[in-house]
């Protein structure tokens, strides 16, 4: 009787109390669960602000120049929008996609805490895709911002425009910086996911 009692006790509470039955899913430690939730919240805020700031970036300015036909000094009022650039549109779309994914993954992380370890691999793969998406959109937007700031006369004959629409360029650069911070948050999430996978094996 005593040996049977000890055997049952060892089966139910052995291995550091990880699971009470065979087949139970081990919950991830709070040392990575709470930081993961915080990082997803940070990514939600940053990608939302980035998309809104970039999508709403526009500036109206007056340009003075010489009319080629009349040779007279003329002034025209133009409105420059970030949506005129395909790279900036891609930036907005990418950040919106990451925003919605971050919301969904945050809800799943908080609702299914007990099964989070079994979801570590899908989350890690999806998080890595978000990193790729953010870095590609940030790189494309940053390249256009450099051209807008310095121009590209040698290859494309593009003049710099940030001297005329400095406010637009400042808002665009701020959106890019926020999106880069969101991508860093996702890099850390990928590292946490890999650590959870290693710990669960």
């Amino acid at each position: 009787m005593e040996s049977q009692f000890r055997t049952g006790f060892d089966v139910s509470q052995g291995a550091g109390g990880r699971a009470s039955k065979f087949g139970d899913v081990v919950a991830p430690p709070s040392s990575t669960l709470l930081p993961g939730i915080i990082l997803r919240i940070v990514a939600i805020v940053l990608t939302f602000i980035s998309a809104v700031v970039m999508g709403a970036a526009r500036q109206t300015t007056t340009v003075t120049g010489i009319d080629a036909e009349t040779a007279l000094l003329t002034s025209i009022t133009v409105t420059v929008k970030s949506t005129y650039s395909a790279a900036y549109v891609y930036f907005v779309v990418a950040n919106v996609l990451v925003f919605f994914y971050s919301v969904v993954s945050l809800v799943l992380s908080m609702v299914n805490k007990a099964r989070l370890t079994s979801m570590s691999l899908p989350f890690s793969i999806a998080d890595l895709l978000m990193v790729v998406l953010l870095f590609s959109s940030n790189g494309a937007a940053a390249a256009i911002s450099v051209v807008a700031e310095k121009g590209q006369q040698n290859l494309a004959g593009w003049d710099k425009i940030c001297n005329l629409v400095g406010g637009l360029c400042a808002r665009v650069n701020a959106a890019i910086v926020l999106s880069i911070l969101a991508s860093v948050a996702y890099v850390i999430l990928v590292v946490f996911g890999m650590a959870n996978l290693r710990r669960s094996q």
Side-chain angles (χ1 to χ4, degrees), residues 10-11 29 37 51 99 109 111 119 124 134 142 146 156 158 175 178 185 190 197:
D10 292 340
V11 169
I37 292 177
F99 167 77
S109 299
V111 171
M119 300 169 62
S124 297
L134 285 175
V146 171
W158 294 340
L178 293 176
V190 171
L197 287 173

Side-chain angles (χ1 to χ4, degrees), residues 8 15 38 44 47 49 68 75 77 94-95 124 130 136 141 148 152 167 169 201:
I38 294 175
I44 289 173
T47 52
I49 297 176
S75 298
T77 301
N95 277 270
S124 297
M130 295 302 106
S136 63
Q152 184 56 273
C169 292
Q201 292 178 350

Side-chain angles (χ1 to χ4, degrees), residues 68-136:
E69 296 180 357
T70 62
L72 297 176
L73 189 65
T74 58
S75 298
I76 58 173
T77 301
V78 296
T79 299
V80 182
K81 301 178 181 180
S82 61
T83 52
Y84 291 164
S85 170
Y88 291 159
V89 174
Y90 171 54
F91 177 92
V92 173
V93 172
N95 277 270
V96 169
L97 290 176
V98 176
F99 167 77
F100 281 112
Y101 165 77
S102 300
V103 172
V104 173
S105 61
L106 176 64
V107 172
L108 292 177
S109 299
M110 298 182 68
V111 171
N112 297 322
K113 291 181 180 180
R115 298 180 57 84
L116 195 58
T117 299
S118 63
M119 300 169 62
S120 294
L121 181 58
F123 270 164
S124 297
I125 296 175
D127 291 346
L128 185 59
L129 291 177
M130 295 302 106
V131 171
V132 174
L133 186 60
L134 285 175
F135 271 104
S136 63

Side-chain angles (χ1 to χ4, degrees), residues 59-64 78 80 148 159-169:
Q59 184 175 349
T60 301
T61 185
T62 301
V63 180
T64 302
V78 296
V80 182
D159 294 326
K160 59 182 180 181
I161 63 171
C162 284
N163 57 326
L164 301 175
V165 286
L168 170 71
C169 292

